[in-house]
Amino acid sequence: MATSDPGNDGRIRCALCNELSVIRLRDRNRQLCAEHFAADLSERVRETITSHAMIAPGDRIAVAFSGGKDSTALLLLLRDLVTASDDITLVAITVDEGIAGYRSDTIRSAESLAEELGIEQVIVSFSGLFGKDLDAILESQKERACSICGILRRKALLSAAQAAGATKIATGHNLDDEAQSVLMNALRGDLARLVRDSSSRSGDCFIPRIKPLKDISEKEIAVFLMARGRFPELPECPYTRYALRAEIRSRLSSLEYRHPGTMKRLVSGKERLTSVLDGIPLGGAINRCRECGEPCSGTVCQTCQLIASLL
Amino acid sequence: MIVILPDSSSYDICGDRCTVGSILERFGINPLEVIVSVGGNVVPEEWVVGGSDTIRIIRIAHGG
């Protein structure tokens, strides 16, 4: 039975076979079983990679791999998509921020999966790179947790990727993350950040970033992992409650549920705006940080300013 | 049927068979923020449950 209506047993079958459905694709109103959904999702990720020329022959891809659901899905999908090409290699980069009661579980999960998949893994820590773990850094400024963590995590990831000889950094940002970022930057009135394209070399890193999951919803990623028995049931980051993103996530998710397609339209609008404004230096001229040499708008980059304030 | 919420609290619900989606609505949960398993298998919101089913609702956002 290829229908969205349950049969007499209350169960719903895949539109392509007789297996039990695990998800209804809302945009296509189609029920899919675990196998056909995994194939559909993998194909969409492949199309995203291809249409944006994210991966080239000879690439060494540093996969930002926290051990959470998004990076777990990213590593699994990339491993399957690039194994046919011998000249493309993956290296998993795991950043230990030092968050008591949270990060140790995810790092164990990350180590276990990388070993199982036979993928090289590099683990770097805030305490090793910056002299303090995140808990110590945030002692009197918890309300800035996500902002500070994000800056330091990007720096840690970039340093590890450079040391590993990576030519690309792949992150597990999904459609929900992308839509949330668009809305957050719009609410902050930060046009420069709103239209920034981190995949280009003019962004905030030397190594281009790619987001192969940017067209996949958070729900789809969770179902994909759950159906494969890979969903990592891990604790929530204790600092999440301080983040604007948490509030945006909830409101945007409600809008998406009541008005399907909201997130895609938001991201699509941002991409059109980025294209229209291409080449216009909204954030001022790009300089090199006098401390680390990375691109920045002033004389010292945001990361070096933050690190100096912590010492 | 037994419904286990993301905070691990559980509820024994009696009544007619109904869809997973209607259970989520009853508890004020946005289906996009959770996955639901019945008997250990992930199911879509249109799935009909009842009787001795155990419905587990898992929040998907971890943060970090």
Side-chain angles (χ1 to χ4, degrees), chain A residues 24 102 219 232-233 236 253, chain B residues 30-31 34 45-46 56 62-63:
Chain A
R24 178 174 66 90
Y102 170 64
K219 169 101 177 187
E233 290 194 55
E236 185 171 354
S253 181
Chain B
N30 180 345
V34 296
E45 284 87 55
E46 296 77 17
R56 187 160 173 244
H62 295 146

